Amino acid sequence: MRDVPPPSRRTRLRTSLRAAPTRLKDRSPSAPGFWRSPLRGTWFTAVLGTVLLFGMTLLFVTGLLSYAAYNPDLAPVNDKTPDKGLLGFYLFSWPTDPHWLYRLTQGLHVTVGITLIPVLLAKLWSVLPKLFALPPARSLGHALERLSLLLLVGGALFVFATGVLNVQLEYVFPGSFYPLHFYGAWVFFAAFVAHAALKLPQTVRVLRAGGLRERLRTHEGHGPDDEGEDGLAAPRPAEPTVSRRGALGLVGGGSLLLFATTAGQSFDGWPRATALFAPHGGAEPGRGPGAFQVNKTARSVGVGPDRTGESWRLVVAGPGRTLRLTRADLLGLAQHTADLPIACVEGWSTSDQAWSGVRLRDLAALAGYEDDAPAVLVESLQLRGSFRKAALRDNQVRDPRSLLALRVNGADLTPDHGYPARVIVPAAPGVLNTKWVSRLTFGEL
Amino acid sequence: MKRVHASTKQVTAPLKRVTALVRRWYGEGPLHLLLLLASFALALYAGVRLLADDWVMVAVWFVGAALLHDLVLVPVYAAADRAVTALVGGRDGGRRERTMYVRVPAALSLLLLLVWYPLITRQVPRYERSTALPADVFLTRWLLVTAALFAGSALWFAVRAWSAARSASRSGREEGAGRG
């Protein structure tokens, strides 16, 4: 070891003065030298982008399925987006089989969405230098692509924010959740498809170049396959504090933590206790046969005992025929049992509960439809909340498991589960399983 | 054969000219242009419906989400990360590997807060009324999970430090025992 004399104060001052203009330029985020992380690079972005390519596609498809599950084309009461136009091109009759269908698709939609948040944040971090890149546009094509990226990033954050807030019942967004999330998703997806198509060749090239292990071990973004001109890799990277493997591990760990503390809200029993932060995780409400998850309590929607007691009547209406039935009348009709879950648009669901009551198609027969039961308009006693009225399609009414339930798990319905009577239909979203039913109108929506 | 070849040439020649023209004026290939135009058409179709109700606030949310993320959230967490690196990693960066023991639990804890802040900070009065579930559990759980993350990280650090010290003493005064 040889001693090197420390530079004199004067020399140091001179060097730093000479470097000053460079430093000032480097302080602007438009300067490539501003961005120092050695992790950034085409490969890192390509890995995250590939995860999002599959993840976002799954979210979009399950989102479209959830939209179809409401049967918005059946009746105006089901349709929160009447001006959808061509965006409803794919709508179809939502099936009743398998009975856990909506539980699966919507559980995936919300759980995968929450799980992808760290990946989205990491992806946005990895491409942040490009936001500040100068000149603003090299060409008309470049300008259009940057405009498209605003729709992509704004759209992704908008859709994730509305979704995450909605499942927590924090309705601070400007308007009704349904149109905001639905149209926002279409704006996002339009930009997403273009972005994926434009970046796919480069992504495939970088990922197929191989050397996965080597790349995970190293720190620097630069590699033989990094195309320098894309401006992602830092030209003067700082000393690494973490390997690529470590960084991807942190992103994956964040996803795993969110998944592990959310997924349990789709199951009864011990798994629900593991969902520490999910809105319907933790404990079941109350005790006894009615101790399973509630979306809206009777109190929260203005249904009190004064209207659900002896004075309650169910109106069953058909063409030229209107019946008024007491709860005892209903219990006197043929009783059937069906094991069905409650599955909410908010992503949580219960396991199968043993419901018993009168088949909807038997009530349709009472209303005058002996053979082929038609669609039905269901009305609730509730004073507040959306879907106080909801329509069910004929395939839902005809399913032998579709009930006007009076009892659950061997006991009368609790007030919060819809006493005196509620609808339960296989594979339907929770809001279409109307509680505190006051009227069924068959054939006219 | 020759004739066929000539006819394809006749077709491709104008196509090439169009491509060259688009490249010159647009800066990218014609497919790029078509793809973006199709994308904008769909985005516009959905966008006018998105903005139909309260267009000012929806636009504020849409653009604001991007701005809030890019110009507030990222600079804040990047600055926090630098502060951690400077504090824990040593002045000359000689202990950089230590930063992960603070970074990881902090990042995971803040991630949970970012996603679930309405429930954790009890912003939602309707939660308890609607679901009949207690609303005060989330803050406690978050604090406990945060404590567990930091405790686990500290334990891991201690184990690593202990095993490093043991292997160092075992290899005696052998030189070059430092990290690779």
Side-chain angles (χ1 to χ4, degrees):
Chain A
M1 288 280 267
R2 245 189 319 145
D3 269 6
V4 180
S8 72
R9 190 172 288 178
R10 198 181 221 179
T11 333
R12 267 186 294 168
L13 188 68
R14 202 181 298 153
T15 339
S16 74
L17 274 179
R18 208 175 289 156
T22 329
R23 277 211 317 268
L24 210 62
K25 232 191 277 166
D26 279 358
R27 287 219 180 118
S28 139
S30 298
F34 177 86
W35 306 94
R36 302 293 305 276
S37 174
L39 291 171
R40 284 200 185 90
T42 316
W43 185 84
F44 192 67
T45 299
V47 170
L48 296 167
T50 307
V51 175
L52 290 178
L53 174 64
F54 291 103
M56 293 292 195
T57 305
L58 177 74
L59 294 187
F60 189 66
V61 170
T62 50
L64 291 188
L65 288 177
S66 178
Y67 184 69
Y70 278 71
N71 283 332
D73 53 343
L74 176 65
V77 290
N78 287 22
D79 195 355
K80 300 291 173 192
T81 49
D83 57 350
K84 59 188 169 300
L86 297 174
L87 301 179
F89 73 95
Y90 69 95
L91 289 175
F92 55 95
S93 299
W94 186 250
T96 55
D97 267 308
H99 69 273
W100 39 259
L101 182 62
Y102 192 70
R103 198 178 164 203
L104 175 73
T105 61
Q106 196 57 13
L108 278 176
H109 184 75
V110 171
T111 310
V112 173
I114 286 167
T115 304
L116 281 178
I117 289 171
V119 186
L120 176 67
L121 294 177
K123 173 69 164 63
L124 292 177
W125 174 84
S126 80
V127 293
L128 198 61
K130 302 193 98 173
L131 175 71
F132 300 94
L134 288 177
R138 292 190 307 266
S139 63
L140 182 60
H142 187 223
L144 285 185
E145 200 175 329
R146 289 193 88 168
L147 183 65
S148 173
L149 288 176
L150 173 68
L151 298 183
L152 183 77
V153 175
L157 293 169
F158 181 82
V159 176
F160 270 75
T162 49
V164 165
L165 291 170
N166 187 65
V167 302
Q168 298 178 70
L169 318 185
E170 176 74 319
Y171 308 135
V172 289
F173 30 76
S176 161
F177 171 71
Y178 295 98
L180 292 180
H181 201 64
F182 178 68
Y183 293 131
W186 273 106
V187 172
F188 162 75
F189 198 70
F192 176 75
V193 170
H195 183 67
L198 291 176
K199 297 295 179 185
L200 197 64
Q202 192 185 17
T203 306
V204 171
R205 197 162 59 239
V206 169
L207 293 182
R208 282 184 71 176
L212 181 71
R213 280 193 189 162
E214 184 59 31
R215 283 186 174 272
L216 283 175
R217 226 178 300 133
T218 57
H219 299 285
E220 288 77 18
H222 285 301
D225 316 302
D226 265 15
E227 285 152 43
E229 79 267 23
D230 74 1
L232 286 177
R236 292 189 303 109
E239 274 291 300
T241 54
V242 58
S243 68
R244 281 207 190 95
R245 182 171 55 186
L248 287 178
L250 180 57
V251 176
S255 286
L256 193 67
L257 179 66
L258 284 170
F259 178 83
T261 52
T262 304
Q265 69 169 342
S266 297
F267 307 92
D268 287 351
W270 66 265
R272 193 176 304 280
T274 65
L276 293 176
F277 298 99
H280 285 262
E284 302 291 356
R287 286 157 182 258
F292 54 95
Q293 295 297 311
V294 173
N295 182 37
K296 298 269 188 292
T297 58
R299 196 163 63 95
S300 71
V301 291
V303 177
D306 50 321
R307 294 192 297 143
T308 58
E310 285 299 309
S311 63
W312 177 81
R313 296 288 181 277
L314 174 73
V315 178
V316 178
R321 208 188 288 192
T322 301
L323 290 92
R324 293 169 63 82
L325 303 171
T326 64
R327 197 161 188 278
D329 294 337
L330 288 166
L331 283 165
L333 298 171
Q335 301 292 300
H336 295 272
T337 305
D339 291 341
L340 297 172
I342 298 282
C344 184
V345 68
E346 291 157 13
W348 58 269
S349 58
T350 72
S351 301
D352 290 353
Q353 314 293 331
W355 307 92
S356 68
V358 185
R359 279 180 177 156
L360 290 181
R361 66 181 190 193
D362 292 350
L363 291 168
L366 283 182
Y369 292 96
E370 301 285 344
D371 297 324
D372 291 330
V376 65
L377 178 68
V378 185
E379 291 172 63
S380 169
L381 290 175
Q382 70 186 85
L383 302 172
R384 294 186 286 275
S386 52
F387 291 96
R388 293 188 294 274
K389 295 181 185 179
L392 298 171
R393 211 186 280 278
D394 52 7
N395 69 317
Q396 294 175 312
V397 174
R398 288 172 194 172
D399 192 294
R401 296 162 298 176
S402 297
L403 302 178
L404 182 75
L406 304 167
R407 296 166 63 80
V408 65
N409 300 330
D412 279 343
L413 293 173
T414 61
D416 289 342
H417 285 302
Y419 182 89
R422 77 169 297 170
V423 164
I424 186 84
V425 170
V431 282
L432 296 186
N433 293 322
T434 310
K435 300 196 273 192
W436 315 288
V437 175
S438 60
R439 185 185 173 97
L440 299 171
T441 311
F442 287 94
E444 255 178 73
L445 300 181
Chain B
M1 282 303 262
K2 251 184 186 171
R3 198 172 275 178
V4 173
H5 192 74
S7 75
T8 37
K9 240 184 191 172
Q10 272 167 7
V11 176
T12 51
L15 203 71
K16 270 187 185 161
R17 231 176 298 147
V18 169
T19 306
L21 206 69
V22 171
R23 275 209 180 277
R24 190 167 154 208
W25 293 104
Y26 179 68
E28 306 280 348
L31 264 180
H32 186 280
L33 178 61
L34 291 176
L35 192 65
L36 281 183
L37 287 180
S39 164
F40 283 131
L42 177 56
L44 194 69
Y45 189 86
V48 293
R49 287 158 175 80
L50 178 66
L51 297 171
D53 236 11
D54 182 358
W55 73 269
V56 177
M57 281 314 288
V58 173
V60 164
W61 266 67
F62 200 96
V63 179
L67 292 180
L68 198 68
H69 172 269
D70 293 344
L71 303 180
V72 179
L73 184 69
V74 176
V76 165
Y77 76 65
D81 187 58
R82 271 189 198 186
V84 167
T85 311
L87 277 174
V88 185
R91 190 169 285 185
D92 54 351
R95 294 168 168 178
R96 281 173 185 282
E97 74 284 352
R98 284 191 179 187
T99 57
M100 288 314 277
Y101 294 96
V102 178
R103 251 184 193 167
V104 172
L108 293 179
S109 166
L110 290 174
L111 176 68
L112 287 174
L113 184 63
L114 177 74
V115 175
W116 300 117
Y117 79 87
L119 288 181
I120 290 173
T121 60
R122 296 201 64 172
Q123 301 272 307
V124 197
R126 71 166 67 77
Y127 175 79
E128 226 159 19
R129 213 166 357 109
S130 294
T131 64
L133 295 169
D136 54 358
V137 295
F138 296 104
L139 178 61
T140 318
R141 285 178 194 167
W142 181 67
L143 291 172
L144 286 177
V145 167
T146 302
L149 285 167
F150 276 99
S153 187
L155 193 68
W156 193 357
F157 177 72
V159 169
R160 293 281 294 262
W162 177 72
S163 70
R166 223 173 73 136
S167 69
S169 73
R170 202 179 268 177
S171 59
R173 287 178 200 125
E174 221 175 288
E175 279 195 355
R179 293 183 304 114

Short mmCIF file of all heavy atoms in Angstrom, two decimals, chain A residues 340-373:
data_model
loop_
_atom_site.label_atom_id
_atom_site.label_comp_id
_atom_site.label_asym_id
_atom_site.label_seq_id
_atom_site.Cartn_x
_atom_site.Cartn_y
_atom_site.Cartn_z
N LEU A 340 -75.35 -23.24 -1.48
CA LEU A 340 -74.84 -22.20 -2.38
C LEU A 340 -74.04 -21.16 -1.60
O LEU A 340 -74.33 -20.89 -0.43
CB LEU A 340 -75.99 -21.50 -3.10
CG LEU A 340 -76.84 -22.38 -4.03
CD1 LEU A 340 -78.05 -21.62 -4.53
CD2 LEU A 340 -76.01 -22.88 -5.20
N PRO A 341 -73.04 -20.55 -2.25
CA PRO A 341 -72.24 -19.51 -1.58
C PRO A 341 -72.84 -18.12 -1.79
O PRO A 341 -73.71 -17.93 -2.63
CB PRO A 341 -70.91 -19.60 -2.32
CG PRO A 341 -71.30 -19.98 -3.72
CD PRO A 341 -72.55 -20.83 -3.61
N ILE A 342 -72.35 -17.15 -1.00
CA ILE A 342 -72.55 -15.74 -1.31
C ILE A 342 -71.22 -15.25 -1.87
O ILE A 342 -70.18 -15.44 -1.24
CB ILE A 342 -72.88 -14.92 -0.04
CG1 ILE A 342 -74.18 -15.39 0.59
CG2 ILE A 342 -72.91 -13.44 -0.34
CD1 ILE A 342 -75.42 -14.91 -0.10
N ALA A 343 -71.25 -14.65 -3.05
CA ALA A 343 -70.00 -14.15 -3.66
C ALA A 343 -70.22 -12.70 -4.06
O ALA A 343 -71.11 -12.39 -4.84
CB ALA A 343 -69.62 -14.98 -4.88
N CYS A 344 -69.39 -11.81 -3.49
CA CYS A 344 -69.61 -10.37 -3.66
C CYS A 344 -68.70 -9.81 -4.74
O CYS A 344 -67.59 -10.30 -4.96
CB CYS A 344 -69.35 -9.66 -2.34
SG CYS A 344 -69.71 -7.90 -2.40
N VAL A 345 -69.16 -8.73 -5.38
CA VAL A 345 -68.33 -8.03 -6.37
C VAL A 345 -67.06 -7.50 -5.71
O VAL A 345 -66.05 -7.28 -6.38
CB VAL A 345 -69.14 -6.89 -7.02
CG1 VAL A 345 -69.43 -5.79 -6.02
CG2 VAL A 345 -68.42 -6.32 -8.23
N GLU A 346 -67.08 -7.31 -4.39
CA GLU A 346 -65.90 -6.83 -3.68
C GLU A 346 -64.83 -7.91 -3.53
O GLU A 346 -63.78 -7.68 -2.94
CB GLU A 346 -66.30 -6.30 -2.30
CG GLU A 346 -67.11 -5.02 -2.38
CD GLU A 346 -67.96 -4.79 -1.13
OE1 GLU A 346 -67.74 -5.47 -0.12
OE2 GLU A 346 -68.85 -3.93 -1.19
N GLY A 347 -65.10 -9.11 -4.04
CA GLY A 347 -64.06 -10.13 -4.09
C GLY A 347 -64.15 -11.19 -3.01
O GLY A 347 -63.58 -12.27 -3.16
N TRP A 348 -64.85 -10.89 -1.91
CA TRP A 348 -64.95 -11.90 -0.85
C TRP A 348 -66.11 -12.83 -1.15
O TRP A 348 -67.01 -12.51 -1.92
CB TRP A 348 -65.15 -11.24 0.52
CG TRP A 348 -66.37 -10.37 0.63
CD1 TRP A 348 -66.44 -9.03 0.38
CD2 TRP A 348 -67.70 -10.77 0.99
NE1 TRP A 348 -67.72 -8.58 0.57
CE2 TRP A 348 -68.51 -9.63 0.95
CE3 TRP A 348 -68.26 -11.99 1.37
CZ2 TRP A 348 -69.88 -9.67 1.26
CZ3 TRP A 348 -69.62 -12.03 1.67
CH2 TRP A 348 -70.41 -10.87 1.62
N SER A 349 -66.08 -14.01 -0.55
CA SER A 349 -67.19 -14.93 -0.69
C SER A 349 -67.24 -15.84 0.52
O SER A 349 -66.31 -15.89 1.32
CB SER A 349 -67.05 -15.75 -1.97
OG SER A 349 -65.84 -16.46 -1.98
N THR A 350 -68.37 -16.55 0.66
CA THR A 350 -68.50 -17.53 1.73
C THR A 350 -68.43 -18.91 1.09
O THR A 350 -68.59 -19.05 -0.12
CB THR A 350 -69.84 -17.42 2.46
OG1 THR A 350 -70.88 -17.90 1.60
CG2 THR A 350 -70.14 -15.98 2.85
N SER A 351 -68.19 -19.92 1.90
CA SER A 351 -68.34 -21.28 1.41
C SER A 351 -69.83 -21.54 1.22
O SER A 351 -70.67 -20.68 1.50
CB SER A 351 -67.76 -22.26 2.42
OG SER A 351 -66.39 -21.96 2.61
N ASP A 352 -70.18 -22.74 0.75
CA ASP A 352 -71.60 -23.07 0.54
C ASP A 352 -72.35 -23.04 1.86
O ASP A 352 -71.89 -23.58 2.86
CB ASP A 352 -71.73 -24.47 -0.07
CG ASP A 352 -71.24 -24.50 -1.52
OD1 ASP A 352 -70.94 -23.41 -2.05
OD2 ASP A 352 -71.16 -25.60 -2.09
N GLN A 353 -73.51 -22.40 1.85
CA GLN A 353 -74.42 -22.42 3.00
C GLN A 353 -75.65 -23.25 2.61
O GLN A 353 -76.03 -23.28 1.44
CB GLN A 353 -74.86 -21.00 3.38
CG GLN A 353 -73.75 -19.97 3.44
CD GLN A 353 -72.78 -20.21 4.57
OE1 GLN A 353 -73.14 -20.77 5.61
NE2 GLN A 353 -71.53 -19.82 4.37
N ALA A 354 -76.25 -23.89 3.59
CA ALA A 354 -77.43 -24.73 3.30
C ALA A 354 -78.69 -23.88 3.40
O ALA A 354 -79.19 -23.62 4.49
CB ALA A 354 -77.48 -25.91 4.27
N TRP A 355 -79.19 -23.42 2.24
CA TRP A 355 -80.38 -22.59 2.20
C TRP A 355 -81.60 -23.49 2.01
O TRP A 355 -81.52 -24.50 1.32
CB TRP A 355 -80.33 -21.61 1.03
CG TRP A 355 -79.09 -20.77 0.98
CD1 TRP A 355 -77.94 -21.06 0.31
CD2 TRP A 355 -78.87 -19.52 1.63
NE1 TRP A 355 -77.02 -20.07 0.50
CE2 TRP A 355 -77.56 -19.10 1.31
CE3 TRP A 355 -79.65 -18.70 2.46
CZ2 TRP A 355 -77.01 -17.92 1.78
CZ3 TRP A 355 -79.10 -17.52 2.92
CH2 TRP A 355 -77.80 -17.14 2.59
N SER A 356 -82.75 -23.10 2.60
CA SER A 356 -83.98 -23.82 2.27
C SER A 356 -85.12 -22.83 2.13
O SER A 356 -85.14 -21.78 2.79
CB SER A 356 -84.28 -24.89 3.31
OG SER A 356 -84.61 -24.29 4.53
N GLY A 357 -86.04 -23.16 1.24
CA GLY A 357 -87.16 -22.27 0.96
C GLY A 357 -87.92 -22.76 -0.26
O GLY A 357 -87.86 -23.95 -0.61
N VAL A 358 -88.59 -21.82 -0.92
CA VAL A 358 -89.45 -22.17 -2.06
C VAL A 358 -88.69 -21.91 -3.35
O VAL A 358 -88.01 -20.90 -3.49
CB VAL A 358 -90.74 -21.31 -2.03
CG1 VAL A 358 -91.70 -21.76 -3.12
CG2 VAL A 358 -91.39 -21.40 -0.66
N ARG A 359 -88.82 -22.88 -4.31
CA ARG A 359 -88.17 -22.67 -5.61
C ARG A 359 -88.79 -21.49 -6.33
O ARG A 359 -90.03 -21.32 -6.31
CB ARG A 359 -88.32 -23.92 -6.48
CG ARG A 359 -87.32 -24.98 -6.15
CD ARG A 359 -87.50 -26.20 -7.03
NE ARG A 359 -86.48 -27.18 -6.72
CZ ARG A 359 -86.59 -28.47 -6.95
NH1 ARG A 359 -87.70 -28.95 -7.51
NH2 ARG A 359 -85.62 -29.29 -6.65
N LEU A 360 -87.94 -20.69 -6.97
CA LEU A 360 -88.45 -19.54 -7.73
C LEU A 360 -89.39 -20.01 -8.83
O LEU A 360 -90.39 -19.36 -9.13
CB LEU A 360 -87.30 -18.73 -8.32
CG LEU A 360 -86.45 -17.94 -7.32
CD1 LEU A 360 -85.36 -17.15 -8.06
CD2 LEU A 360 -87.31 -16.99 -6.49
N ARG A 361 -89.10 -21.16 -9.44
CA ARG A 361 -89.95 -21.62 -10.54
C ARG A 361 -91.31 -22.09 -10.02
O ARG A 361 -92.31 -22.02 -10.75
CB ARG A 361 -89.26 -22.71 -11.36
CG ARG A 361 -89.01 -24.01 -10.64
CD ARG A 361 -88.29 -24.96 -11.60
NE ARG A 361 -88.24 -26.30 -11.05
CZ ARG A 361 -87.47 -27.27 -11.54
NH1 ARG A 361 -86.69 -27.04 -12.58
NH2 ARG A 361 -87.48 -28.46 -11.00
N ASP A 362 -91.39 -22.55 -8.75
CA ASP A 362 -92.69 -22.88 -8.16
C ASP A 362 -93.52 -21.60 -7.95
O ASP A 362 -94.74 -21.60 -8.12
CB ASP A 362 -92.51 -23.61 -6.83
CG ASP A 362 -91.91 -25.00 -7.02
OD1 ASP A 362 -91.83 -25.44 -8.18
OD2 ASP A 362 -91.51 -25.62 -6.01
N LEU A 363 -92.82 -20.52 -7.55
CA LEU A 363 -93.53 -19.25 -7.37
C LEU A 363 -93.98 -18.70 -8.73
O LEU A 363 -95.05 -18.10 -8.84
CB LEU A 363 -92.62 -18.24 -6.65
CG LEU A 363 -92.35 -18.59 -5.18
CD1 LEU A 363 -91.22 -17.73 -4.61
CD2 LEU A 363 -93.62 -18.42 -4.34
N ALA A 364 -93.15 -18.94 -9.77
CA ALA A 364 -93.55 -18.54 -11.12
C ALA A 364 -94.81 -19.29 -11.54
O ALA A 364 -95.71 -18.72 -12.18
CB ALA A 364 -92.41 -18.81 -12.11
N ALA A 365 -94.89 -20.56 -11.15
CA ALA A 365 -96.09 -21.35 -11.48
C ALA A 365 -97.31 -20.77 -10.79
O ALA A 365 -98.40 -20.67 -11.39
CB ALA A 365 -95.87 -22.80 -11.06
N LEU A 366 -97.13 -20.33 -9.52
CA LEU A 366 -98.24 -19.69 -8.81
C LEU A 366 -98.68 -18.42 -9.53
O LEU A 366 -99.87 -18.05 -9.52
CB LEU A 366 -97.82 -19.32 -7.38
CG LEU A 366 -97.76 -20.44 -6.35
CD1 LEU A 366 -97.38 -19.87 -4.99
CD2 LEU A 366 -99.10 -21.18 -6.26
N ALA A 367 -97.71 -17.72 -10.14
CA ALA A 367 -98.03 -16.47 -10.83
C ALA A 367 -98.61 -16.71 -12.21
O ALA A 367 -98.90 -15.76 -12.94
CB ALA A 367 -96.77 -15.62 -10.94
N GLY A 368 -98.73 -17.96 -12.61
CA GLY A 368 -99.37 -18.25 -13.89
C GLY A 368 -98.47 -18.85 -14.94
O GLY A 368 -98.92 -19.14 -16.04
N TYR A 369 -97.20 -19.02 -14.63
CA TYR A 369 -96.28 -19.62 -15.60
C TYR A 369 -96.03 -21.08 -15.20
O TYR A 369 -95.06 -21.40 -14.52
CB TYR A 369 -94.97 -18.84 -15.65
CG TYR A 369 -95.13 -17.45 -16.24
CD1 TYR A 369 -95.31 -16.34 -15.42
CD2 TYR A 369 -95.12 -17.27 -17.62
CE1 TYR A 369 -95.47 -15.07 -15.96
CE2 TYR A 369 -95.28 -16.00 -18.16
CZ TYR A 369 -95.45 -14.91 -17.33
OH TYR A 369 -95.60 -13.67 -17.86
N GLU A 370 -96.93 -21.96 -15.63
CA GLU A 370 -96.87 -23.35 -15.21
C GLU A 370 -95.65 -24.05 -15.80
O GLU A 370 -95.00 -24.85 -15.13
CB GLU A 370 -98.13 -24.10 -15.65
CG GLU A 370 -99.43 -23.51 -15.10
CD GLU A 370 -99.63 -23.83 -13.62
OE1 GLU A 370 -98.94 -24.74 -13.13
OE2 GLU A 370 -100.45 -23.16 -12.97
N ASP A 371 -95.34 -23.77 -17.08
CA ASP A 371 -94.30 -24.55 -17.75
C ASP A 371 -92.96 -23.82 -17.78
O ASP A 371 -92.07 -24.13 -17.02
CB ASP A 371 -94.74 -24.90 -19.17
CG ASP A 371 -95.97 -25.79 -19.15
OD1 ASP A 371 -96.04 -26.65 -18.24
OD2 ASP A 371 -96.87 -25.61 -20.00
N ASP A 372 -92.84 -22.83 -18.63
CA ASP A 372 -91.56 -22.17 -18.78
C ASP A 372 -91.54 -20.87 -17.99
O ASP A 372 -92.15 -19.88 -18.39
CB ASP A 372 -91.29 -21.88 -20.27
CG ASP A 372 -91.04 -23.18 -21.03
OD1 ASP A 372 -90.53 -24.13 -20.39
OD2 ASP A 372 -91.37 -23.25 -22.22
N ALA A 373 -90.82 -20.91 -16.88
CA ALA A 373 -90.75 -19.71 -16.04
C ALA A 373 -90.02 -18.60 -16.79
O ALA A 373 -89.00 -18.85 -17.44
CB ALA A 373 -90.04 -20.04 -14.75
#
